């Protein structure tokens, strides 16, 4: 195989961007060989853009069974990600899935199992992992030279959206259409990076406010408190109702502190000793360990989506590393599901949580949703 | 009266500082005419420092009844503040009380009632209100030009203290000695400023961790989530176990955002319109109001303790404004009591809360405290 032959499933905002990136030659090892969308208008756009003889399918199963592709990129509404991925794995295809990996972890586990069983390559579009700020934070924390995490804080409130945004599609801001609000639509990248860099908490207490700033069913304002297995605590705060908002991610560790402002600058405070040790052994009540501060050198290049796609092709062709393994997509979703469930039950939720209970609670909200399932299926 | 004749009650760390400030002539309208402390060593220091004929009392009631003073400054352990203030008001004296105003709101209400009944001047040592950063934030928020508060966040984790600090007095870090940890000892200023600038929340959900970083009875790590009467949310995060820690106070409002870093710099983001209005009326999903950013001009002068004392004397002599009215001391204590109670009961606490329940819960912890009441009475 000289290049990976890719079929794009879903020609909405993201699908269109991916199609253009490939046809522009921005993903060296990939060629576009098929697309599909349930919408006749979008298929007409694709036929116009890709030429009259290009394979444009009305149904993703036709594309999957077409024989002209090695891999699919799934860019349809959130609920359908696992189901379509499972079909693709069954057909022996590699899968690159848009975020979030799904709406509820139960369906994502089935997808992960299908991926493992198939032996095919499974990747997820966590394009913010290509940002060298976050890569450096991941390396510094997981490398261990800063010691254990003591506290985390991410204030990510710069997702301002107007009423017009939510009014732009019937499915937007609904339980049946999106399966959640800011946690499912805007925050999957941050939730993934949060767990990738800081690890998973053992329990979560969240306060989600539905339709607080907008006329929507789902949450547009969240404050979550987390506790980690080692006793560290953390907060995650987000909103689509605030302008200018803030993007500030801070991690306190035994031997330092990392502060990332706006995703493009990282300050590293490094102590000359473990503060836990210093706290116990210093003879001075107001003593302090020595601390140096440096601004980390950040690489300008950030390939984002095309970087994820090229890495996916590189894995298929040559066994190279992925940007994000597909099965890791469940972690950020566990965080957002736990935040939803905590807020719905008005109590602290242990991780792992009761996934059947989560689904039952979600389905109550879907049943009352103004969006109907048929409309939700063809929506992005 | 040419100058206010002041009696200082308690010659510990703070009392000593106040005595030196007055004898140095740093409080123009005040003269020191008596001091008292239960500790013979401290009385010996005072006799040495102030001269053999200076009135040094072994008991605060002797000082209060001595006839040689117009006002008292109370700088003894937290629990005794209200009781001594009430005695002073009964004796017709003006009162300047160190923070916190007490340990539990029930006793502070009695003090506030006694103050009101006496008609005497009652002030509290909130010396951080003289910092022009906080004054400007107070003016901007209460002035209304930035619209209603939408979210608050104060991360105040730069209170690093070693084990040696807590080991320096038997009473330190105990329920009987201090009545709390970081919330009672380190944070009264921030809790006062928080409510002074942002108003009081209607309920609080807090997660206090006792002895998490130190071998102490009380909390040294707190995360609190707040909801305000208008629906705004907030967080308050503090610790004495983290270095270098952070001091970052952010307020999002309908027409702007304020960010105070390290108590000495304020960034003001000002919108050209209410974002709530913009959100509702913009035709663009990703539209944003115009926003300008400026660094506020901050005055260098910050008189701190002597500013509070001079204002107190100015009120007594000439009816001038106080830096902080004594009865306002209860607000920050309501916040800290509510945070403690929420954590003890493991649930959200409405404000006002059940003050008898708080005291019963506190007394359980005092009864189990390693510090005994007698030791606690003569401790700072």
């Amino acid at each position: 195989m000289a290049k990976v032959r890719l079929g794009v499933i879903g020609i909405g905002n993201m699908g269109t961007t991916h199609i253009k990136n490939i046809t522009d030659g921005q993903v060296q090892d990939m060629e576009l060989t098929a697309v599909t969308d349930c919408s006749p208008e979008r298929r007409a756009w694709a036929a116009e853009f890709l030429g009259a003889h290009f394979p444009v399918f009305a149904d993703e199963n036709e594309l999957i069974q077409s024989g002209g592709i090695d891999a699919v990129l799934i860019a349809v509404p959130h609920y359908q990600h696992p189901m379509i991925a499972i079909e693709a794995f069954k057909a022996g295809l590699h899968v690159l899935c848009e975020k979030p990996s799904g709406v509820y972890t139960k369906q994502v586990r089935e997808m992960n199992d299908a991926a493992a069983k198939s032996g095919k390559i499974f990747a997820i579009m966590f394009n913010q992992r290509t940002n060298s700020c976050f890569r450096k934070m991941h390396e510094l924390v997981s490398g261990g030279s800063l010691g254990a995490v003591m506290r985390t804080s991410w204030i990510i409130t710069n997702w301002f959206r107007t009423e017009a945004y939510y009014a732009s599609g019937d499915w937007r801001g609904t339980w049946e259409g999106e399966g959640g609000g800011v946690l499912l639509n805007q925050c999957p990248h941050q939730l993934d990076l949060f767990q990738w860099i800081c690890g998973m908490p053992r329990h979560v207490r969240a306060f989600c406010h539905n339709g607080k700033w907008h006329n929507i069913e789902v949450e547009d304002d969240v404050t979550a408190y987390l506790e980690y297995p080692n006793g560290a605590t953390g907060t995650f705060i987000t909103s689509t109702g605030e302008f200018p908002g803030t993007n500030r991610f801070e991690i306190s560790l035994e031997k330092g502190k990392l502060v990332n402002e706006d995703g493009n600058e990282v300050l590293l405070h490094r102590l000359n000793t473990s503060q836990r040790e210093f706290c116990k052994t210093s003879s001075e009540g107001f003593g302090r360990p020595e601390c140096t501060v440096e601004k980390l050198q950040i690489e300008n290049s950030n390939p984002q989506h095309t970087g994820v796609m090229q890495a996916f092709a590189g894995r298929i062709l040559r066994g190279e590393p992925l940007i994000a393994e597909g099965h890791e997509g469940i972690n950020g979703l566990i965080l957002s599901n736990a935040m939803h469930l905590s807020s719905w039950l008005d109590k602290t939720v242990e991780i792992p949580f009761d996934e059947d209970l989560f689904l039952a609670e979600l389905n109550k909200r879907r049943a009352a949703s103004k969006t109907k399932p048929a409309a939700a299926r063809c929506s992005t």
Side-chain angles (χ1 to χ4, degrees), chain A residues 50-111:
Chain A
L50 297 165
H53 299 292
F54 191 91
V56 178
F57 297 96
D59 181 293
E60 67 266 9
N61 288 315
E62 290 173 34
L63 176 140
I64 287 169
Q65 304 301 335
S66 68
I69 56 175
D70 307 307
V72 293
L73 192 169
I74 302 174
V76 295
H78 311 153
Y79 277 106
Q80 299 164 56
H81 292 177
M83 185 176 61
I84 295 177
I86 290 167
E87 289 307 313
F89 286 127
K90 276 190 198 157
L93 301 175
H94 308 289
V95 173
L96 171 55
C97 185
E98 262 293 345
K99 56 84 199 167
S101 53
V103 173
Y104 49 97
T105 50
K106 208 173 150 75
Q107 64 171 182
V108 173
R109 285 190 200 286
E110 291 170 18
M111 171 169 72

Side-chain angles (χ1 to χ4, degrees), chain A residues 344 354-366:
Chain A
W344 295 340
D354 180 338
E355 299 189 346
D356 291 316
L357 177 62
F358 177 86
L359 184 54
E361 288 289 330
L362 174 65
N363 284 341
K364 277 191 218 166
R365 287 157 180 85
R366 293 171 76 177

